[in-house]
Structure formats: C-alpha cells, structure tokens
Amino acid sequence: MKKLVILVFLYTLPLFVNAQTTANEKSTESLLLQLNTAGTDSARAMLSFELAELYLGKDSLKTDRYLKNGLQFSKNTGIPAAVYFYYAGRVIEGADLDQAMALYLKTDTLLQPYKTPQALSFRAKAWYLYGAGEQKKDNPKGFADILLNKAIPLAQQAGDNTMAGKNLLAVAMVFKNAGEFDKADTYIKSAFNTLKLPGVPTHELITAYTTVAENYSLSGKAAEARQALDSAAKLLPAYPDSEFYLDYYAAEGMNYTVMGKFEDALASLEKGISMAAKMGKAYDMQRMQLQQFYAYYNARQFTKAKNVLLLLSEKPEMMMLATNRLQVFYGLALTYEELKDFGPGYTWMKKYAELNDSLSKSQLTNDVHALEIRYRNAEKQKEIEALKAKNIQESLSASNSRLVSGLFGSISMFLVLLLTAGYIIFRNRRKLHEQKELSYRQHLHEIAQEQQLRFSQAIMQGEEQERRRLARDLHDGLGGMIAGARINLSAHMKSGEIPTAAPLEKITQQLDKSVTELRRIAHNMMPATLLEQSLEAAINDLCESMMNDHTRITFQAIHLSDHTLAEDVQLHIYRIIQELLNNAVRHGKAKNIMLQVSIDEGKCYITAEDDGKGFDITNSSKGIGLNNIRNRVGFMKGNIDIDSRINQGTTVNIELNVQ
C-alpha cells in the first residue's frame, strides 16, 4: 500500500577547510620552507596556523605545537592575534562545539576594526563555521541566516571568490535538505559561476558537481544527475584517496537507487563506506549506510534494510539530527510492516509520529525563504545606494551652470504642482477604494452568514433523517421484538399452564435481543462513553465496534485528552469520524484503516486512510454520507481534502476549528 521514497533530509556540512594535503594544494614541506624564510613575525604566525590546521586530525601534538608557535609570533596584536582564536576554535571543535563557536564569535569581534581583504575573509570563515555549528545543533534556519546575512556579504567584500562560492553552495544544500530543489538549483548555478572565476582552485568544483547530482536525483532528473557525476569523475583522479570521493560515492549511490539500479547503488555505497571507515569519518559512513537502506528497501530486501536501520539507530552521529531520526523511525516502521511484524512496526511508527508532531518542515521552508528575501533586499539596497551616489554627483556638476539651475527651478515648480495634483487625485481614489473595500467586506460577511445558514439547515435535515431512521428502528426492529415476546407470554398465560424451561428460554432470548437492539439505538443517538468518559474513549470504542475478521482499524490520538471541548463540538467530531469509518467499511470494503485525531492551538486535525476500493471524486457529491461530513465540516468553519483512486484506497484530511 505504501512505497518508500528517498527523503531529502541528508544533511551534509561542506567544510571549506579540508585537512587533505591534495585538497589544500599545499604540502607540509612547502609551508615549512615558507616558515623558515618568512621575513616578519606576522607571516610566521599565519604560516604556523596553517600548519596547525594541516595536521588537524592527523597529529594532535604537532597541531598544538604550531598553534602555540603562531600565538607567540602574533605577539597578541593585529590580525594574526585575532586569527589565533579562529584556528583555536577549529582545533577544539570536535571536543567542545559550544566553546569553539564562542571562539569564532570572538574572532569576528576582534577583526571588525580591520577592513583589509584578509580580515574580511577570515570573518566570513569564522561566521561560516559558527553557522555550521548551528546546523550541527539541528538549527538549519540559523545556518541559512548566517550564510545569507553574514558569511556571503563578508566574502564578497573581501573579494574571496572561493569562500563566496562555497557559501552559496551551502545555501543550496539548505534548500535541498528542505525539499526546495528549484531554489537549490538557482544557488548552485550562482556557486558554479563564482567557483569558475580565476584564482579559485579546480577541486572546488567537485563538491559543486556532487551537490547538483544529489539535487537532480532527488528532484527526479536522473539523467542530468549522471552528467554532473561524470563531470566530477573527470576531476577526481587528480586527488587520489581524498575526501571528495566520499561525496561522489554518496551521490552516485543515490542516483543509481533513483534509477532502480540497486546492485550498482550498493556497490558504489560499499566503496564509500569502506573509504570513510579507513579515514575515520563516522558520519560520512553512516549517511551512506542510510542510503544503503533505501537501496535494500526498494529492492525488497527488507531484512537487510531493517538491520541497517537498527544499526544506525544506535549511532549518536546519525541520531543527533532530528531529520535523520525521522528517516530511521519511519523506515523501521514501514520495513517491519513489510515483514509482517506489526508489533515493532507500531512502536517505531509511534516514535516517528511523536517526533514528527514536534517538527514543522513547512515552517523551516518558510523561514529559509524569509531569510533569502532579506538577503535579496539587502543586495537591492546596495544597488539603490550606488544609484543615489551617482545621482548626487551628477546634480553637483549640473549646479555650476546658471542655465541648468534655472531649468532645474522650473522643473521643480512643475513637479510641486504635479505632486500636489497627484496627491489630491490619490486621496480621492483612496477614499473610493476604502468605500469599495468596506462594501466588499460586507458582501463577504453576508456570503459567510448565508453559507453558515446553509450548513446549519443541512445538519438539521440530516438530524431529521436520523430521527426518521430511529423511528423505523424502534417500530420495525425493537417494537417487533418486544411484541413477539409479549405474544408468546400471553399465549402461555391464556392456556393456564405453567410454562416449562424451553418456552421461557425462548421468551428470554427475545427480550435479550430487544435489550441489545435498544443499546445499539441508544449508542447511535448518543454514545454513553462520550457522556461518561471522553471523546478519545468514545472514538476508541467506535473503532473496536467496527472491527471484524476482515477489517483492522488503527487509531492514534495526539493531545486529544489534553483539551476540554464543548459537548456539541465533541459530538460533531464523533459523527464525522463515525461517517468516515462507516464509508470505509461498508462502501470501501477496506481491510486496513488508519485513523489519526489530534488537537493543536484551537484546531482539530482528522486523517483517515484506507486501502479500500476507492471512488471517483467527481461523483462524490451524490453520496449522502460525504455530504453529511462536508456539512458538519462547513458548520465548524473547517476544511476537507479527499484523495481517492479506484482500487487504490482513500485518504481524507480534515481541519476543524474547535475554539
């Protein structure tokens, strides 16, 4: 019934500083030679810091030694003294992220008085690493904010095309992770244009190509993704055994999975996992193992898929990000379902639902878009300021001529008259617009009142139909049963004979059926559980009463018991759910029904999904049951969305105002 797709929350943090010798295009020997021949202490300090970074992750003793040497050469003054805190943050980041982020902020503060390209470039780097720290703390909005409003403007001011291109690429990754593939493609193209400028190392394009390959794969453009991977493959041989291969294998594995070539995908991912393990890159290894899961799942190798996710569920690097936890929980739930092991499947689905309830991907998308708009507006403002400066200069030049001054005065008078006339016209038009707006609002209010009246009348008609049905049930059903019992009892009384056990047993059975029928009718009128306990208990009883050997109903309540609702509101919600389940069981012949009801901030959300026969939505207006649901939803000022396909099931999403 469900098909798993590749999710887009594969967070990659493209660090602009790479400890690989080939990536930096610098060798230890060349740096040491420059250090020995440097003419100033400032130059020695900066070279010492570069050596400390080069040994980072390889030789901790040499890293600490060159970091201390750089501090001594800096003499606690100038740009090198400020840059020391940047490199110190790089060294301790793995052990103490918060302290490292504090050092990056200190670097920015100390460098603010300096307006040189070098100072601006290091400020951009410091802000980038601070933003990357926010990303590691599960705050992609903060990362995007820093990139757009701090790191990119500083890199552009510094003329650092390498840094600017990498920051643009990082923004693209944020949009890719948020599922905004078209927006990500826009920033990828900007990054390419920047990284192809003179002076930018060629290897920077490798990360750009692998990023665009992932973006194309996730957006369904597998052929374009393959072209990007081929472009990256042409550059890789120049950097053997570098970390760039990890991104390449991850992107290639994703591309093969999307294309349905699962064996090729697993082969590529296995290469990447083996290389990441040798390099000690735990997170890179785990994100490729997560892609292994998608290949196994879509290849229907569910046992292997389950084992991969169970392994990842115990890895702190993978489970640190909430979006990764969502993938693991949801993947385990669906995999256990395919394995027909519904107990663990329900447990993982519950974990997924609880976590998903606390997250809002749509809010992340909106936040990132808002940050982008602020960035675009800032760029436009710079253009406006440049135009203003140009206009001022031209005006000063023109003021040297008397003829131009006289002409300017005449034009000014004309503009004053024109503005005065324009203001009068604008004021009159504004009053007319306000009148039209008031009339329009009154018309909308009348329409809303008329619509609410129609909904109320429709509900009253439905209740009248319910009363008629109830009368028929009482007369034809319950009345007939009680009458039969009375006739049998009267017959024995007229005969004067004492009835034996068998006739009395028959009469007792008739009375038992009458009591059962009476309870059914009373429950349909007003469920006793709803009056005596809660809405959640009443819905749960309803689900259990409608289940049988052929139909299974899964009910999930989220924050339902945390809110106190008016009795009429509870009854409307109960009737809507009763109609939904009745349609799925009686008309849809569904085998599995999943019902979820939640309340949040004055809204009630109802989702019902079944695997029944489905129906043609264009003819749904003819169904009395659906019309009753729509009328109740409209009466509660809510919204309803129905997605149904013949022989593929039905999904109904309802939002109600319950305040």
Side-chain angles (χ1 to χ4, degrees):
M1 183 173 68
K2 302 181 182 71
K3 182 179 179 181
L4 189 65
V5 297
I6 294 181
L7 301 179
V8 301
F9 305 109
L10 298 176
Y11 281 88
T12 50
L13 302 175
L15 295 179
F16 58 85
V17 180
N18 194 323
Q20 297 284 341
T21 302
T22 55
N24 279 321
E25 297 188 340
K26 293 183 180 179
S27 66
T28 307
E29 291 76 16
S30 66
L31 287 175
L32 287 172
L33 179 62
Q34 293 177 56
L35 179 62
N36 293 328
T37 58
T40 64
D41 285 343
S42 293
R44 294 188 186 97
M46 299 302 292
L47 289 167
S48 296
F49 291 146
E50 286 190 54
L51 281 166
E53 186 179 55
L54 191 63
Y55 283 113
L56 186 62
K58 297 179 180 179
D59 190 330
S60 60
L61 293 177
K62 289 184 178 179
T63 296
D64 292 337
R65 186 179 74 192
Y66 283 110
L67 185 64
K68 292 178 181 178
N69 289 344
L71 179 61
Q72 292 175 354
F73 284 126
S74 70
K75 297 180 180 178
N76 296 320
T77 59
I79 292 177
V83 169
Y84 161 77
F85 295 100
Y86 165 82
Y87 285 101
R90 291 274 295 135
V91 171
I92 70 169
E93 181 174 320
D96 192 341
L97 179 60
D98 291 332
Q99 181 62 26
M101 293 173 69
L103 292 175
Y104 299 145
L105 290 179
K106 187 171 183 178
T107 301
D108 177 72
T109 301
L110 293 175
L111 288 174
Q112 286 181 11
Y114 305 97
K115 306 302 179 183
T116 65
Q118 183 187 39
L120 292 170
S121 180
F122 270 101
R123 288 180 64 192
K125 293 177 181 179
W127 274 113
Y128 178 91
L129 285 181
Y130 184 87
E134 290 293 336
Q135 174 79 307
K136 292 176 182 178
K137 290 183 176 182
D138 224 356
N139 182 18
K141 174 188 173 184
F143 187 31
D145 189 4
I146 289 167
L147 288 172
L148 293 170
N149 297 298
K150 293 290 186 180
I152 292 176
L154 286 169
Q156 291 173 340
Q157 291 177 45
D160 189 342
N161 294 323
T162 300
M163 190 64 205
K166 291 178 177 180
N167 279 292
L168 289 167
L169 198 61
V171 176
M173 290 182 179
V174 173
F175 277 107
K176 173 177 71 70
N177 293 338
E180 294 289 313
F181 305 120
D182 292 337
K183 188 68 68 175
D185 186 59
T186 300
Y187 278 94
I188 290 172
K189 290 177 180 176
S190 297
F192 266 112
N193 293 334
T194 305
L195 294 174
K196 288 182 178 180
L197 292 173
V200 179
T202 305
H203 64 75
E204 301 297 344
L205 291 173
I206 298 176
T207 303
Y209 280 126
T210 54
T211 301
V212 76
E214 287 190 356
N215 194 57
Y216 278 144
S217 294
L218 292 169
S219 58
K221 300 177 181 179
E224 291 87 341
R226 186 65 258 179
Q227 293 176 2
L229 287 169
D230 291 341
S231 298
K234 294 178 182 178
L235 301 175
L236 281 171
Y239 310 98
D241 300 322
S242 68
E243 293 180 11
F244 299 123
Y245 278 91
L246 302 181
D247 290 335
Y248 177 81
Y249 287 132
E252 186 178 59
M254 179 184 292
N255 181 249
Y256 279 137
T257 300
V258 170
M259 295 173 65
K261 299 179 178 180
F262 305 121
E263 293 297 326
D264 293 336
L266 292 169
S268 294
L269 294 171
E270 190 59 41
K271 293 178 183 178
I273 292 170
S274 177
M275 179 176 284
K278 291 179 181 179
M279 294 181 177
K281 301 292 182 180
Y283 184 80
D284 290 292
M285 181 171 65
Q286 292 164 23
R287 71 186 180 100
M288 281 185 276
Q289 287 173 328
L290 183 59
Q291 290 197 47
Q292 270 189 330
F293 157 74
Y294 290 117
Y296 281 134
Y297 184 96
N298 287 285
R300 304 192 64 78
Q301 299 182 40
F302 299 120
T303 300
K304 292 183 178 180
K306 176 196 70 174
N307 292 336
V308 169
L309 286 190
L310 288 176
L311 175 66
L312 291 178
S313 69
E314 299 176 355
K315 301 296 182 181
E317 298 86 354
M318 174 60 56
M319 303 303 285
M320 175 179 62
L321 295 177
T323 46
N324 285 347
R325 296 198 297 274
L326 279 177
Q327 292 185 86
V328 173
F329 294 164
Y330 189 67
L332 281 169
L334 296 186
T335 305
Y336 274 109
E337 183 180 359
E338 293 290 351
L339 292 171
K340 308 301 181 185
D341 194 354
F342 299 109
Y346 172 79
T347 300
W348 288 109
M349 181 59 75
K350 184 177 180 182
K351 289 185 178 181
Y352 166 79
E354 291 173 351
L355 179 58
N356 191 50
D357 186 57
S358 65
L359 299 177
S360 175
K361 178 175 176 289
S362 61
Q363 184 61 44
L364 167 61
T365 303
N366 293 336
D367 289 341
V368 174
H369 277 298
L371 294 171
E372 185 203 23
I373 291 171
R374 284 170 51 194
Y375 170 70
R376 295 299 182 192
N377 289 341
E379 294 294 309
K380 292 293 182 184
Q381 189 62 35
K382 292 178 184 177
E383 295 178 6
I384 292 171
E385 294 297 332
L387 290 174
K388 285 182 179 179
K390 183 179 180 181
N391 290 337
I392 291 173
Q393 184 177 3
E394 291 176 353
S395 298
L396 290 174
S397 299
S399 65
N400 293 327
S401 173
R402 245 182 228 181
L403 180 62
V404 174
S405 297
L407 180 60
F408 180 76
S410 300
I411 293 174
S412 297
M413 290 297 295
F414 174 74
L415 288 175
V416 169
L417 293 174
L418 185 62
L419 288 172
T420 303
Y423 174 73
I424 295 172
I425 295 172
F426 168 75
R427 185 178 60 183
N428 293 334
R429 287 185 176 179
R430 186 178 64 181
K431 289 182 179 179
L432 180 61
H433 175 73
E434 290 174 352
Q435 292 175 353
K436 289 182 177 179
E437 181 71 17
L438 180 60
S439 177
Y440 175 70
R441 290 180 180 177
Q442 290 176 345
H443 182 60
L444 286 179
H445 182 66
E446 292 172 358
I447 291 175
Q449 287 182 327
E450 182 181 348
Q451 187 181 45
Q452 194 70 8
L453 180 60
R454 287 201 304 269
F455 286 138
S456 299
Q457 291 174 344
I459 290 176
M460 291 175 64
Q461 291 174 359
E463 291 176 348
E464 184 61 30
Q465 292 175 355
E466 183 67 14
R467 291 189 186 99
R468 293 177 182 175
R469 184 194 62 76
L470 178 62
R472 288 197 302 271
D473 286 348
L474 289 172
H475 182 272
D476 298 339
L478 182 60
M481 293 178 182
I482 295 175
R486 182 182 181 281
I487 291 171
N488 287 333
L489 190 58
S490 297
H492 287 290
M493 291 175 64
K494 288 180 180 179
S495 66
E497 297 178 358
I498 298 175
T500 61
L504 287 176
E505 180 65 23
K506 180 179 180 182
I507 295 171
T508 301
Q509 290 176 354
Q510 290 176 323
L511 290 174
D512 288 341
K513 291 180 180 179
S514 300
V515 171
T516 301
E517 181 68 10
L518 178 60
R519 287 178 177 172
R520 184 188 67 80
I521 295 171
H523 188 273
N524 285 334
M525 290 178 65
M526 177 61 73
T529 311
L530 185 60
L531 294 174
E532 297 171 359
Q533 298 184 33
S534 65
L535 176 60
E536 181 177 341
I539 297 173
N540 193 61
D541 286 350
L542 177 64
C543 294
E544 291 180 356
S545 67
M546 300 190 74
M547 282 195 291
N548 54 48
D549 294 338
H550 306 288
T551 302
R552 178 174 175 264
I553 302 175
T554 301
F555 169 52
Q556 183 181 25
I558 301 175
H559 302 314
L560 198 57
S561 59
D562 298 341
H563 297 79
T564 302
L565 303 177
E567 185 176 297
D568 60 331
V569 173
Q570 294 187 52
L571 186 57
H572 279 302
I573 295 173
Y574 181 85
R575 292 301 185 202
I576 289 172
I577 293 172
Q578 187 179 37
E579 199 68 60
L580 288 173
L581 295 179
N582 185 58
N583 287 343
V585 174
R586 292 181 56 190
H587 303 298
K589 307 298 182 184
K591 296 181 180 178
N592 294 284
I593 303 172
M594 185 172 67
L595 173 67
Q596 185 183 81
V597 183
S598 63
I599 296 180
D600 184 31
E601 296 182 354
K603 301 282 188 180
C604 178
Y605 302 95
I606 302 173
T607 298
E609 181 180 349
D610 66 68
D611 58 356
K613 297 190 299 183
F615 61 92
D616 186 358
I617 299 178
T618 57
N619 295 325
S620 64
S621 60
K622 299 179 181 180
I624 296 176
L626 281 177
N627 283 336
N628 288 338
I629 293 174
R630 288 191 176 101
N631 290 332
R632 290 187 185 274
V633 172
F635 181 76
M636 297 185 70
K637 299 179 181 179
N639 299 305
I640 182 171
D641 178 68
I642 302 175
D643 181 15
S644 183
R645 293 178 176 84
I646 303 299
N647 296 325
Q648 294 186 23
T650 301
T651 300
V652 181
N653 292 297
I654 297 174
E655 176 186 321
L656 303 173
N657 287 291
V658 295
Q659 279 186 336

